[in-house]
Amino acid sequence: MSLGHACVDVYQGAVAALVPYFLAERAYSYAAASGIVLAASLLSSVVQPLFGALTDRWRLPWLLPVSTLVGGAGVALAGVTGSYPLTLTVIAVSGIGVAAYHPESARVARAAGRGTHTSMGWFSLGGNLGFAAAPLLVAAVVGAAGLRASPLLGLPAVAGAGLCVAATRAIRARRGAEEDVRGAETDLRGGSGGGCAGRDDGEEGGNGRGASGEGRAGRDGNGDGGAGRNDGGSGGQGRSGEQGESGGQGESGGQGGSGGRDGPGDDWWSFGRLSGAIVCRSIVFVGLSTFVPVFVRERTGWGEQAGTAALFVLYLGGAVGTVAGGRLAGRFGRVAVVRWSYAATVPAVAGVVLVPGPALYPFIALTSAGLYVPFSLHVTLGQDYLPGRMGTASGVTLGLTVSVGGVAGPLIGALADATSLRFALAPLIVFPAVGRLFLRGLREPVAPGADGAVSPTGPRATR
């Protein structure tokens, strides 16, 4: 799933990496070039929560390879279209494909990793590596042969679709094997077992009835009925004669509810504040990823290679930051790490905008780390604030709030056309500070531990 994520997110990074070539070969203005980035994010930001709502109700594993191919096809056609409106259209189609991929892939990845923060960190790392590979891929293909060679950029989508199919089959096979083991245990008990656990994808647990003795616990051996797990599955109610105990609670702070419905643990207020912070992060990230290749080329005078290297540093630092974020969260708590990251990003972005010459490269790396350390933590925090609507939470944290930053791109481009690119990028220094204000006083949610028990992942409250 992590490698498949890389093959999809290469197309998010490729759109920004194509901007310098559109400026050079088609003489687009800054505003027109940033409109291409907006086309990739605008429809994506609208439809991704819709796909999240769908995955709250149904499992859609077929969506993974299909959306991967759609995402790749749009970027592959972008360089061979002759008109600006048609270029916007195919880029928008690519954005829809990327949007359709993320909610279902986050659900499948969480099931594959049994809900641990470390596994989601590896899943996010794959996407970040795809981002990092994008400018190198575009430079190798388009930089060498021009925009007319863009169909070659569709090859990662073919590989990614195959990886998605292989991953979903492996998960299905593992799930079937686990069910066979549970069935064999029930047979050996001679009918005295209780209800089995509701699965990750929201199915109901069985209602086993035993003639005597205690029923089998859903997961931990502490009660009869299986607990509804991550995605809101209903817990089964085991019965075992007169002495049976009731089933355990669902993992995410309340009893397992039916998939796609608000559960008693849903905290929309905290989720909204988290989403506001992610929007601020998105504006900074999209603004820099769109214009930093051109900005660095202007500041250093080193040509297109300098811009490609800067974009690579911006994306690659994210891969390191994502892994570090998971480790730091395990020690200090997710909310605390996210807050520190936003605060540290303010001086880092200031360095990118204000420091002259090649010295801005270290600040690009620091900005990347500050933006990406909280990336996978955003996803798990959102899921734990909305345990009854994990698909919706994934769609918003991975899609809507991330993509909405593209809306600011044309505004930055228009300001750059009227003044200078440096002046247009200066407002980005403020947005991490605004995001930090959204996070002020945000509480750490109670999340499922790796063993399925309910446990806090960090301090209950941070100030």
Side-chain angles (χ1 to χ4, degrees):
M1 287 301 300
S2 181
L3 292 173
H5 195 188
C7 291
V8 172
D9 276 5
V10 71
Y11 296 109
Q12 295 196 80
V15 174
L18 285 169
V19 166
Y21 299 99
F22 285 123
L23 291 171
E25 293 191 29
R26 298 185 182 177
Y28 288 163
S29 66
Y30 286 133
S34 60
I36 295 174
V37 179
L38 175 61
S41 61
L42 185 59
L43 282 179
S44 175
S45 67
V46 173
V47 302
Q48 188 150 320
L50 300 180
F51 282 108
L54 289 175
T55 60
D56 279 334
R57 299 183 65 86
W58 301 288
R59 288 195 305 159
L60 303 172
W62 57 268
L63 191 60
L64 299 182
V66 171
S67 60
T68 301
L69 293 173
V70 171
V75 169
L77 294 173
V80 297
T81 55
S83 68
Y84 184 71
L86 191 55
T87 300
L88 295 180
T89 299
V90 295
I91 288 294
V93 169
S94 175
I96 293 174
V98 173
Y101 170 85
H102 281 97
E104 177 68 6
S105 67
R107 184 193 66 79
V108 174
R110 182 153 181 154
R114 302 186 186 277
T116 65
H117 302 313
T118 301
S119 65
M120 288 303 294
W122 283 109
F123 174 68
S124 298
L125 174 63
N128 295 333
L129 290 176
F131 261 109
L136 302 180
L137 178 64
V138 170
V141 175
V142 180
L147 287 172
R148 66 180 183 274
S150 65
L152 293 176
L153 298 177
L155 294 178
V158 178
L163 289 166
C164 290
V165 171
T168 53
R169 286 181 177 177
I171 294 169
R172 187 162 53 246
R174 187 188 72 183
R175 182 174 290 154
E178 291 173 348
E179 289 179 348
D180 289 343
V181 170
R182 288 197 295 265
E185 291 176 352
T186 301
D187 292 340
L188 290 173
R189 290 176 181 270
S192 62
C196 64
R199 292 183 358 203
D200 285 348
D201 53 13
E203 296 183 3
E204 294 185 353
N207 294 314
R209 182 188 298 271
S212 63
E214 294 184 353
R216 180 168 57 89
R219 182 164 182 172
D220 296 326
N222 296 322
D224 288 359
R229 290 186 53 201
N230 293 335
D231 292 343
S234 301
Q237 294 178 349
R239 298 186 63 184
S240 55
E242 298 297 324
Q243 303 299 323
E245 297 179 357
S246 60
Q249 290 183 331
E251 287 185 2
S252 299
Q255 291 181 346
S258 59
R261 298 180 182 176
D262 290 348
D266 289 340
D267 183 355
W268 287 96
W269 173 248
S270 295
F271 182 77
R273 293 167 63 191
L274 175 68
S275 299
I278 301 174
V279 168
C280 294
R281 181 254 183 209
S282 173
I283 292 172
V284 176
F285 178 77
V286 175
L288 289 179
S289 62
T290 302
F291 293 110
V292 78
V294 182
F295 181 67
V296 170
R297 186 179 62 190
E298 290 181 356
R299 298 295 300 278
T300 62
W302 290 350
E304 292 181 355
Q305 292 80 7
T308 298
L311 194 59
F312 176 72
V313 171
L314 181 66
Y315 291 162
L316 183 63
V320 178
T322 298
V323 175
R327 294 183 178 275
L328 291 171
R331 181 172 182 181
F332 300 106
R334 289 173 293 178
V335 171
V337 172
V338 170
R339 292 172 63 214
W340 295 340
S341 299
Y342 277 70
T345 303
V346 176
V349 176
V352 173
V353 177
L354 302 176
V355 171
L360 58 79
Y361 277 97
F363 288 97
I364 293 174
L366 292 174
T367 298
S368 178
L371 293 173
Y372 271 107
V373 162
F375 187 77
S376 66
L377 307 182
H378 289 153
V379 180
T380 58
L381 279 170
Q383 290 175 334
D384 291 335
Y385 283 133
L386 300 183
R389 289 183 175 270
M390 288 197 176
T392 299
S394 300
V396 172
T397 55
L398 283 172
L400 177 60
T401 50
V402 173
S403 301
V404 77
V407 177
L411 300 178
I412 298 173
L415 184 60
D417 287 329
T419 57
S420 69
L421 189 53
R422 182 179 185 181
F423 184 84
L425 293 177
L428 299 182
I429 300 171
V430 178
F431 282 97
V434 176
R436 173 64 178 79
L437 292 177
F438 275 111
L439 298 168
R440 182 178 176 83
L442 200 66
R443 298 175 68 85
E444 184 84 31
V446 175
D451 61 351
V454 178
S455 61
T457 57
R460 179 57 184 166
T462 56
R463 300 189 183 279

